[in-house]
Amino acid sequence: MKKIGIVTLIFLVSLACKKAKGPADVKSAQQNNSLDSATLMSATINGESWKTDSAFSYRVNTSTNDTTTTNLMVSATNYSGAAPTTIVIHVSGYTGVNEYRIDPPENNATYYANNRRFYATSGWFNVLKDSANIITGTFSFNADTIVVTKGSFSLVAP
């Protein structure tokens, strides 16, 4: 009877020490990880549909001359084609819901494809909603020979 109790105890201890599958449980920059499925960015690029496989956005505060400015940075990549394509948008002086004109170097958009960079010289990034965790809106820009239209986004922003 004593042997059965010891074997049962060892078995229960080994179950309690079992390693969990998947990545380590670490704190995320996003307070609500269930929002990750809300991430979406799509557009029409030179007449072809484009949709992101992954998108990341960040609000970054910078301080100069006793003034704090918020910058919004967005990076979205589509991995489904022959080579990955990426849209990167940077808004300097981000204030929330507003239309931001693409006006390099302050506000800029870049499209990357086939190891080439296409830098936007005109366009806009329109934020329609900015809650604590989700930013939604539309965008459009011209980058050299690339025309990006009908852009829309729903991004998780920590």
Side-chain angles (χ1 to χ4, degrees), residues 45-141:
I45 300 175
N46 285 351
E48 300 289 326
S49 292
W50 182 91
K51 185 177 177 183
T52 187
D53 295 316
S54 66
F56 304 94
S57 61
Y58 307 92
R59 289 185 186 126
V60 178
N61 291 330
T62 59
S63 234
T64 56
N65 298 331
D66 299 328
T67 304
T68 300
T69 303
T70 300
N71 297 312
L72 177 68
M73 292 176 269
V74 176
S75 178
T77 302
N78 178 318
Y79 293 100
S80 63
T85 55
T86 301
I87 292 175
V88 175
I89 296 172
H90 174 258
V91 176
S92 187
Y94 180 76
T95 58
V97 174
N98 201 352
E99 181 174 291
Y100 302 91
R101 303 300 298 168
I102 302 298
D103 186 20
E106 296 299 316
N107 300 331
N108 56 67
T110 309
Y111 177 72
Y112 296 91
N114 298 321
N115 294 320
R116 291 187 60 202
R117 179 184 75 172
F118 301 90
Y119 197 64
T121 54
S122 64
W124 46 267
F125 184 76
N126 190 13
V127 177
L128 301 172
K129 181 180 177 186
D130 185 351
S131 68
N133 297 316
I134 301 286
I135 298 173
T136 60
T138 58
F139 64 95
S140 176
F141 61 87

Side-chain angles (χ1 to χ4, degrees), residues 33-51:
N33 286 330
S34 67
L35 294 174
D36 286 346
S37 62
T39 299
L40 172 68
M41 193 164 177
S42 63
T44 300
I45 300 175
N46 285 351
E48 300 289 326
S49 292
W50 182 91
K51 185 177 177 183

